[in-house]
Amino acid sequence: KSIEKDCLKAMYKYGSILMDEKNEELKEKGIKLIKAAADKGNAKAMFCYSLILDKNEEIDYDEKESMKYLKNAANCGLTEAMYKYALKLGNYGHKVIILTLDKSTKNESRHFLKEALKKGNVDAAYQYSMIYLKGDGVPKNINKGTKYLQYAAFGGNSDAMTQYSDMLLTGQGFPTDKEEAFRLLNLAIEKGNSNAMFLIGYMYHYGCNVKSDINEALKYYKMAAEKGNVNAMNNYAYLIQSDKPEEAIKYFKIAIEKEFLPSIHNYAVML
């Protein structure tokens, strides 16, 4: 069994190397090797093959097949597979938990999130915290949600840093801590989190916890807007519409394309 495991590991690794080649025949051979290793029980190959099915345009996409390999990898205890399977199963997307799933699906999704969390996955910890903070299929529990949120934030998840900072600024369930909130927001910004950029921009815009400073607000709004944050696009465009109408129109239009309703209103008023 040990020899077989080593062979499967080698098969998966060689397949992965071939997948990086530019030659299409070698890539195809790489996919076949990864699938073969997956079918024989290599968890990393299972996870990799599920990703290949998701991304490779040359393979007929079969969601059930992709989920099958992903679940098998999760059941083998592969942390990243547990997390990704939980997200796909729960239809969580990157940030927002959907509340319309049946109970058994939610339970299975929560199970794999918790298992990934136990293995130290901070992204799973963030999603798990939101379940309790929102009361998604469980009684709402701010204290429990905050515990997991803190774990995720201090573990480096930038969404958790931003969410926890907001709670520290507003004092949701515990004393406010402006200094810690700003420390975490700046760390999240260093990681490229557009929501953190928007939040600091909003604070400078409206003078929340800081002295109002429109130039600082514009700086952070633009940083977030350039990363695709529609709230920031709308606010940035609104503030510059008199001085830079062409740039404002550009950002309003991008936000409108993303179906952000406030930008529709603001653009109409501007015209």
Side-chain angles (χ1 to χ4, degrees):
K1 283 188 177 180
S2 177
I3 294 172
E4 185 180 0
K5 270 190 175 181
D6 289 342
C7 287
L8 292 176
K9 189 176 179 181
M11 189 186 295
Y12 161 65
K13 283 191 172 181
Y14 184 51
S16 299
I17 291 169
L18 293 179
M19 281 287 295
D20 291 332
E21 294 288 339
K22 293 181 180 179
N23 184 292
E24 291 303 318
E25 286 185 12
L26 291 177
K27 278 187 178 181
E28 188 177 339
K29 185 178 179 181
I31 291 171
K32 287 178 179 178
L33 285 171
I34 290 169
K35 184 179 185 302
D39 289 338
K40 289 180 179 292
N42 183 281
K44 287 188 176 181
M46 294 172 191
F47 180 61
C48 183
Y49 189 62
S50 76
L51 296 181
I52 291 170
L53 289 172
D54 282 346
K55 295 177 182 177
N56 198 316
E57 294 178 358
E58 294 178 10
I59 298 176
D60 290 334
Y61 181 63
D62 186 335
E63 186 176 13
K64 286 185 179 179
E65 189 76 354
S66 174
M67 287 292 279
K68 181 188 83 174
Y69 281 97
L70 188 57
K71 184 177 183 177
N72 287 343
N75 281 326
C76 286
L78 194 67
T79 308
E80 57 264 48
M82 291 177 180
Y83 174 64
K84 188 170 180 66
Y85 181 66
L87 284 192
K88 290 185 75 172
L89 189 69
N91 197 21
Y92 290 173
H94 294 292
K95 297 178 173 52
V96 181
I97 292 176
I98 308 300
L99 304 177
T100 56
L101 301 169
D102 65 83
K103 188 175 180 180
S104 63
T105 302
K106 282 187 179 181
N107 287 341
E108 187 179 5
S109 180
R110 281 198 298 270
H111 164 74
F112 280 105
L113 273 181
K114 191 171 184 179
E115 290 303 307
L117 189 162
K118 285 178 182 177
K119 288 176 173 282
N121 187 294
V122 293
D123 297 328
Y126 169 66
Q127 292 291 354
Y128 203 67
S129 76
M130 298 309 291
I131 288 172
Y132 284 98
L133 291 173
K134 292 175 180 288
D136 175 30
V138 298
K140 191 173 182 178
N141 188 324
I142 300 298
N143 289 334
K144 197 168 186 177
T146 302
K147 181 183 79 171
Y148 291 118
L149 187 65
Q150 288 172 325
Y151 176 79
F154 297 137
N157 181 285
S158 64
D159 288 324
M161 290 174 183
T162 305
Q163 179 73 27
Y164 185 50
S165 296
D166 189 35
M167 293 173 75
L168 286 171
L169 290 167
T170 54
Q172 296 179 40
F174 39 81
T176 58
D177 189 336
K178 179 179 168 182
E179 186 177 336
E180 178 67 356
F182 270 85
R183 184 185 76 83
L184 288 171
L185 281 174
N186 282 307
L187 284 175
I189 287 171
E190 286 175 14
K191 289 175 174 286
N193 191 290
S194 69
N195 287 326
M197 297 168 190
F198 170 76
L199 182 55
I200 287 190
Y202 184 91
M203 289 162 65
Y204 278 115
H205 184 178
Y206 292 101
C208 303
N209 296 291
V210 293
K211 186 179 178 180
S212 179
D213 187 327
I214 295 302
N215 288 330
E216 283 295 289
L218 287 171
K219 181 180 84 172
Y220 285 104
Y221 278 159
K222 188 168 186 180
M223 284 170 62
E226 288 175 348
K227 287 190 168 290
N229 188 296
V230 290
N231 284 291
M233 289 178 193
N234 179 70
N235 287 17
Y236 179 71
Y238 182 82
L239 289 174
I240 65 168
Q241 59 185 315
S242 297
D243 297 330
K244 301 176 181 177
E246 289 185 4
E247 189 177 2
I249 288 170
K250 181 187 84 170
Y251 280 110
F252 275 142
K253 284 184 174 180
I254 295 171
I256 289 168
E257 286 173 5
K258 294 175 179 285
E259 300 180 355
F260 190 68
L261 295 179
S263 290
I264 298 172
H265 170 76
N266 289 334
Y267 182 52
V269 170
M270 182 182 176
L271 296 177

